[in-house]
Amino acid sequence: MAPQRSPNERKVNSVRPFSSITSHIDPMVLYTFLALLIISIVMLAFKAGNRQDCSHVSMAFSSRQHGVNTSFTTGEVITFKANNTGSTPAGDYIWHFGDSSVQQQGQQVYHAFTKAGSFVVTLQAGKCSWSQEVQVINPIPPAASTPAADVFPVIDGPTEAFVGRPVTFSNSTPGANRWEWRLQQPNAETHTQRSHTYVFSSAGERIVTLVVNGDTSRMVKKRVMVFPAPTEHRNDAFVPPPFPAPQNQPEALPAPAPEKPKAPAISDEEFRNMLTMVSNKQKGVQDFAPYLCNNLNARVLLNDKDVKTFSQFCEAIRGKKRIKIEMVNLIKDPDGCVKEIRIRYDKKGFLGIF
């Protein structure tokens, strides 16, 4: 038997929204729709959270010649800078210069265009990109002008000297009125004339300095190599006895003095080249006879120490291809005949010869 309801009991009806709709829809379809809606909302929120602000960066181009500008000349070094008011790291900037050159990375980079034209420079940082046009023109050639005079003084004088022999240095700079000559060594004296003569007491390298009109910023130097004085060998003059006077013979007129043979001209470098040809067996000692006036026993000073005759020297170097003659200095008489030869050579190349 069913229980009887009380007279005061009221019937309660539950309200189910969309019950009339859901009662006709498959629950799986409804659940799928709700899942897609939630995924769409999450993706929109993620995209909104990762959105990058591109308004805080601006591009600036500058150079020493044109300053901040967008027009430059070929070969000019241009500074490209990204002015950042945000928090983009400097390493995230990538520059493209539009001239087929390699891209560069950094907030500030440097580039020079090699040809004229219009180029679009692009800056990338993350998802942002900025572009700006740059005009590059060829530089205007400078007007031809007279070259400026050399303001540095010049020391006139030799670069080689001998011990005990005077050597003079001078200067002819226009407008000069005060000179300061000094050897670059301790306790050296200062000389104040237009020219000065030095006599070196020992062999070695010396450095002569010159200051004109007190301008030490334009001081010039000259290196002088001082060699030992060559030893001079003097032969006593031979005075022959007079011939007996002929008897009852008319007095003969004095015979004219024979002309001394004059040697052909030859420079120190040409003589050195001929000695090299002797070492290659391309020339012999007789090839030098015209320049020595047939004196093949002329004195040869080797490295300012050893002494040989010219014939001995040629015999020693003949066929020795590894020798290296660095310098030849010919000492000639007034007729051009070579009477003494000073030779500087590489000791390694002459090892075992002398």
Side-chain angles (χ1 to χ4, degrees):
M1 175 179 288
Q4 295 182 354
R5 294 181 179 179
S6 172
N8 297 326
E9 185 178 354
R10 293 183 300 174
K11 184 178 181 180
V12 178
N13 297 324
S14 60
V15 179
R16 298 177 62 188
F18 307 106
S19 59
S20 60
I21 298 175
T22 57
S23 60
H24 300 286
I25 299 176
D26 188 352
M28 290 303 297
V29 175
L30 181 62
Y31 295 152
T32 302
F33 174 78
L34 292 176
L36 292 175
L37 180 62
I38 294 173
I39 292 173
S40 300
I41 294 173
V42 171
M43 291 179 63
L44 289 174
F46 179 78
K47 183 177 293 187
N50 290 338
R51 184 178 180 184
Q52 186 174 353
D53 184 10
C54 299
S55 62
H56 60 277
V57 174
S58 61
M59 302 167 64
F61 309 153
S62 63
S63 69
R64 290 186 177 183
Q65 181 177 351
H66 294 91
V68 178
N69 209 331
T70 57
S71 179
F72 305 95
T73 56
T74 55
E76 182 179 6
V77 178
I78 308 172
T79 302
F80 297 86
K81 184 178 181 181
N83 294 322
N84 182 9
T85 58
S87 58
T88 302
D92 291 346
Y93 294 103
I94 300 177
W95 297 84
H96 303 269
F97 302 103
D99 60 349
S100 301
S101 61
V102 179
Q103 66 184 26
Q104 297 188 37
Q105 188 173 357
Q107 185 173 357
Q108 180 172 306
V109 297
Y110 305 92
H111 182 69
F113 294 94
T114 59
K115 60 181 180 179
S118 178
F119 303 92
V120 177
V121 178
T122 303
L123 171 63
Q124 292 180 341
K127 300 178 181 179
C128 297
S129 177
W130 303 268
S131 298
Q132 190 166 340
E133 186 178 8
V134 176
Q135 296 293 332
V136 180
I137 60 175
N138 292 318
I140 301 175
S145 59
T146 304
D150 188 4
V151 297
F152 283 85
V154 176
I155 298 177
D156 298 321
T159 57
E160 294 182 352
F162 290 101
V163 172
R165 296 186 182 180
V167 58
T168 301
F169 301 96
S170 61
N171 171 258
S172 56
T173 301
N177 53 31
R178 185 157 54 94
W179 299 266
E180 296 178 25
W181 299 92
R182 186 182 292 109
L183 284 177
Q184 201 169 66
Q185 63 184 28
N187 303 322
E189 297 182 1
T190 301
H191 306 279
T192 57
Q193 301 299 321
R194 180 184 293 273
S195 62
H196 184 71
T197 301
Y198 288 99
V199 178
F200 301 107
S201 59
S202 60
E205 187 182 57
R206 301 291 187 273
I207 299 178
V208 180
T209 64
L210 172 63
V211 175
V212 175
N213 294 340
D215 189 358
T216 57
S217 65
R218 288 175 171 80
M219 181 182 71
V220 291
K221 301 179 181 180
K222 190 178 188 70
R223 296 181 180 272
V224 182
M225 194 65 191
V226 182
F227 299 98
T231 304
E232 297 183 358
H233 295 277
R234 297 182 179 178
N235 297 324
D236 295 334
F238 173 71
V239 181
F243 289 100
Q247 297 179 357
N248 301 324
Q249 293 288 338
E251 187 174 346
L253 296 176
E259 294 184 0
K260 295 182 179 179
K262 292 188 177 181
I266 187 171
S267 65
D268 294 355
E269 183 63 22
E270 292 172 341
F271 202 92
R272 187 182 72 84
N273 292 334
M274 289 183 65
L275 289 176
T276 303
M277 296 175 72
V278 172
S279 67
N280 295 330
K281 294 185 177 181
Q282 297 176 354
K283 286 188 178 296
V285 65
Q286 291 296 332
D287 294 320
F288 297 85
Y291 309 107
L292 301 173
C293 294
N294 297 319
N295 181 21
L296 298 180
N297 291 323
R299 181 173 175 268
V300 178
L301 181 62
L302 301 172
N303 281 359
D304 297 322
K305 294 189 298 183
D306 301 326
V307 178
K308 298 278 184 181
T309 66
F310 185 74
S311 298
Q312 293 172 340
F313 177 76
C314 290
E315 184 64 26
I317 68 173
R318 183 171 178 81
K320 306 298 189 301
K321 296 183 179 181
R322 296 181 60 186
I323 67 171
K324 181 179 181 182
I325 300 176
E326 298 178 346
M327 187 271 290
V328 172
N329 180 222
L330 302 178
I331 300 174
K332 305 178 181 178
D333 61 14
D335 295 319
C337 298
V338 177
K339 64 178 183 178
E340 186 175 333
I341 307 166
R342 188 165 62 91
I343 296 176
R344 188 194 305 166
Y345 64 87
D346 183 4
K347 294 182 179 180
K348 295 180 180 179
F350 281 75
L351 185 62
I353 298 178
F354 302 118

